[in-house]
Amino acid sequence: MLSTTCQYALRALACLAAHPSGSMVGGEELSQQTGIPKNYLSKILLTLGNAGLIEAVRGNAGGYRLAAAPEEIPLVRVVELFERHVSKPACLLGLRRNCSDQDPCTAHEAWKPAKSAYFDFLETTTLSEISSAAKPRRSDVGAKRGRNTAPSPGRSR
């Protein structure tokens, strides 16, 4: 659903969000931690820096860090930098530039709820929620599936 570049940008930012607030992460280290090729990552970081999402500091103690708290950065702010269709939603079938209720394509009504949920997710989910530092939600730790998440007596995990 998202381009590789956008996925990499989100991955890099989530990695930065997982580090202690204000700490610098070097480009080489960030590349290794995220699995993003260094040259590709540097171009993404340039875009993120120009957008004011990260700060870059040169020198031995330099690196990259978030310019704001991760809970203040909605995903839509990142995705809009790399995905043109987010701010200008296109027709699912690629038939119209501006598929709308007034000028719908044949898939418009079926696609409308999914498209709305997608945009709502991007607007309401923050970087802190997708970073590895995020605390798992109660439903994410097995409660929905009825699993007992506590170790059984006498058994170690």
Side-chain angles (χ1 to χ4, degrees):
M1 186 169 255
L2 298 174
S3 68
T4 300
T5 304
C6 189
Q7 289 175 353
Y8 282 176
L10 289 170
R11 190 184 309 171
L13 289 170
C15 183
L16 290 174
H19 284 82
S21 179
S23 67
M24 302 300 283
V25 180
E28 179 84 28
E29 181 183 355
L30 190 57
S31 174
Q32 289 174 354
Q33 289 180 3
T34 60
I36 303 170
K38 245 174 55 169
N39 290 338
Y40 202 168
L41 178 62
S42 66
K43 292 174 185 174
I44 292 168
L45 294 173
L46 179 64
T47 300
L48 295 172
N50 289 339
L53 291 169
I54 62 168
E55 297 172 343
V57 176
R58 294 180 187 259
N60 289 341
Y64 301 93
R65 67 177 167 221
L66 294 178
E71 55 274 1
E72 296 173 6
I73 303 173
L75 298 186
V76 71
R77 191 163 165 214
V78 180
V79 174
E80 283 179 330
L81 294 172
F82 302 98
E83 305 289 336
R84 297 192 194 284
H85 69 274
V86 170
S87 57
K88 296 179 184 171
C91 173
L92 175 70
L93 302 177
L95 299 173
R96 296 184 175 88
R97 274 190 100 93
N98 189 14
C99 188
S100 66
D101 290 337
Q102 293 75 31
D103 187 21
C105 72
T106 56
H108 183 76
E109 287 304 314
W111 169 237
K112 193 174 171 180
K115 180 173 73 171
S116 177
Y118 173 67
F119 290 122
D120 287 346
F121 172 79
L122 292 177
E123 290 171 352
T124 61
T125 305
T126 65
L127 198 53
S128 65
E129 294 174 81
I130 67 163
S131 84
S132 61
K135 294 179 176 81
R137 295 178 184 171
R138 182 179 168 92
S139 63
D140 293 343
V141 291
K144 271 188 172 177
R145 295 186 197 103
R147 291 185 190 153
N148 181 2
T149 57
S152 300
R155 275 181 41 192
S156 62
R157 284 196 158 177

